Amino acid sequence: QSAHPEFDVIVAGGGPGGATAATLLAKRGHRVLLLEKERFPRYQIGESLLPSTVHGVCEMLGVSDELARAGFPVKRGGTFRWGANPDPWTFTFALSRKLAGRTSTAYQVDRARFDQILLENARKHGVDVREEHEVLALIEEDGRYRGVRFRDDSGAVATAAARYVVVAAGSSTALYKGVGERVYSDFFRNVAVFGYFEGGKRLPAPNEGNILCSAFDDGWMWYIPISDTLTSVGAVVASERAATIQKDREGALHGFVDSCPIVRDYLSEARRVTSGKYGEVRVRKDYSYRSTRYWRPGAVLVGDAACFVDPVFSTGVHLATYSGVLAARSISTVLSGSLPEAECFREFERRYARELEVYHTFLQAMYNINESESSYFWEARKVLGTDQPDEEAFVDLVAGVSAPGASRFGDALRDATRPESLDEGDAVFAGEGTRFLGSVLREAGDLQLRAVAGEQDGPEPGMFPDGLVSSADGLSWERRA
Ligand code: FAD
C-alpha cells in the first residue's frame, strides 16, 4: 500500500455512529470516504433518542436546526408502568438541572429519515459518501489495517487505502472480527418482536411524546409515538421464546399486546400497519454483546459494531454517536501528529468501555422489577454518589448527562436556561452501585454542554487522572495542561 493513501479515513457504515465519526473528521479537514451498503432512506429500529444525542452530538454535527424542522415528536421524558407500583409514573428530563430549558428534550424519530439527515449532513461537510457500496473485508498489512476491499454499486470489487478504518457497520456484519471477539451478555438474553400501529392513543399532554414502557408477565413492552398517528410497539421477552415467536411473529406480537393491559388499552382503536417499510413484524435477538477489543492499529469499532446493551432506556444511538465522537477525536489527534496512537486509543477504549459498563450495571438493576419506587429513588442517588434529590439523580442518569456540579459549564447553562418552575415530573429508578457512574455521566454531560456553550469554555476537566482531555472544540485530545 502507498505511504500516502488516497483517504485519511474510511468509514464502513453510514448509520448514526458512522455518520458522526465521518462528519467530525471532515470538520477537521481530513479526507473521508464513507461506504454504506444500503441506499438511504433505509429501515432501522431504535427510534427513541436521548437529550445528550440531540443537544450534544447533533449540535456538534451542525444538524440541530434541520432536526427541529423535521417535526419529529418531542420527547420530554418517559412514562413507566414498572416496579411494585401498579400505576404508571413519569419522569421529565426538565427535572435535571443540566437539561433545563431547550435542552431538556429529545426526539422520537423515524430512523430512516433521521439517519438520512445525518448522512446528508456528512456529505455537506465534505465526506465522500457512497451508498450501495458494501465493505467486504479490512485489509491488513504488516500488523496494521490499511484499507478495505469493497463491492461498488455496479457489483465490481475494488480496494481503497486509508490511514484509518472506522467500522460502524452495525450489529449484523462480521467486520468487527478483525478487531475483537464478540462476547454475549449472560444477563440480557432476550428477544424483541415489534411492529407499527396507526391510530394508537397518546399519553395526556404535555407527555404525548414520551416513550411508554410497561412491564408485564412475560417481559416488557415499548410504545413509542413516532408521528401524531404512528406508533412503534415492541415486546421484549426471554430468548427461550424466540423459536415460537419466529413461527408466527404477528400472532406473537398481538398476544403480547393482549397480555399487557396499558398497551392493549392504548391500541384498542388502532390497526397494525401492513404495507411499506413499517408493514413487517420484525424480530431481533442476541443484541446484547460487547467486543473484547475496540481498536487495533489502523482500525476502530463504533456503535453496534462494538457493543449494545438493551433497549429499555434507549441508549443505542447515544452509544453509537458518543463512540463516533471519541473515535473521531482519537483519529484526528493521531493524524495531526500531536499524540501517539496508543495513548489516544487508550483514552477512546477506556471511556467507551466505562460508558457501556455503567449502562450494563444500571439496566441490569432496572430488570429487577419488583422493587418499590422509594428504593429505586434511593438507589439512583447512591449510584451517582451525589446529594441531589433522588428523582433528579435518576433523570441525569437516564438522559446520559452528569450529576449537578460535575460539569464546568453546568451552572452557567442552568442559570441561562432553567425555567422558573418545572413541570410536574416524578422520576424513579436506580441501579446497582458503580464507582464509574459519576465520571461517565460527567463526560456525556460535558459533551452536551460543550455543544451548547460553544468553544470558548476551554478543555474539559478529563475523566481519568492519568488520561487525556478533549480540546475546546471537542474534536481532538490534549494532554492536561
Ligand atoms: P446502524 O444504525 O445499524 O448502522 C449501520 C449501517 O452500516 C447500516 O446503515 C448498514 O446498512 C451499514 N452496513 C452494514 N454492513 C455494511 C458493510 N459491510 N459495508 C458498508 N455498510 C454496511 N437505540 C436507541 O437509541 N433508541 C431505541 O429506542 C432503541 N430501540 C432498540 C430496540 C431494539 C429491539 C434493538 C435491538 C435496538 C434498539 N436500539 C435503540 C439500538 C439501535 O438500533 C442501535 O444501537 C443503533 O442503530 C446503532 O447505530 P450504528 O450507527 O452503530 O448502526
Side-chain angles (χ1 to χ4, degrees), residues 47-51 54-55 64 67-69 71-75 105-109 114 209:
E47 292 123 347
S48 197
L49 304 186
L50 300 188
V54 171
H55 299 290
S64 297
L67 289 180
R69 282 195 301 273
F72 296 124
V74 173
K75 172 184 174 185
T105 55
Y107 296 120
Q108 314 283 19
V109 297
F114 175 77

Side-chain angles (χ1 to χ4, degrees), residues 11-19 35-38 40 42 44-50 108 111 115 133-136 168-173 175 192-194 211 222 224 236 284 287 302-305 307-308 310-311 313-320:
V11 178
L35 301 173
E36 163 56 51
K37 187 173 74 170
E38 307 280 337
F40 278 29
R42 59 93 180 87
Q44 177 58 296
I45 188 62
E47 292 123 347
S48 197
L49 304 186
L50 300 188
Q108 314 283 19
R111 277 291 300 276
D115 289 15
H133 280 58
E134 181 181 5
V135 175
L136 303 172
S171 58
S172 59
T173 62
L175 293 175
V193 53
F194 44 98
I211 185 171
W222 77 73
I224 301 172
V236 174
R284 289 276 300 269
Y287 47 71
V302 309
D304 277 9
C307 60
F308 180 61
D310 179 87
F313 272 116
S314 314
T315 49
V317 174
H318 164 67
L319 283 167

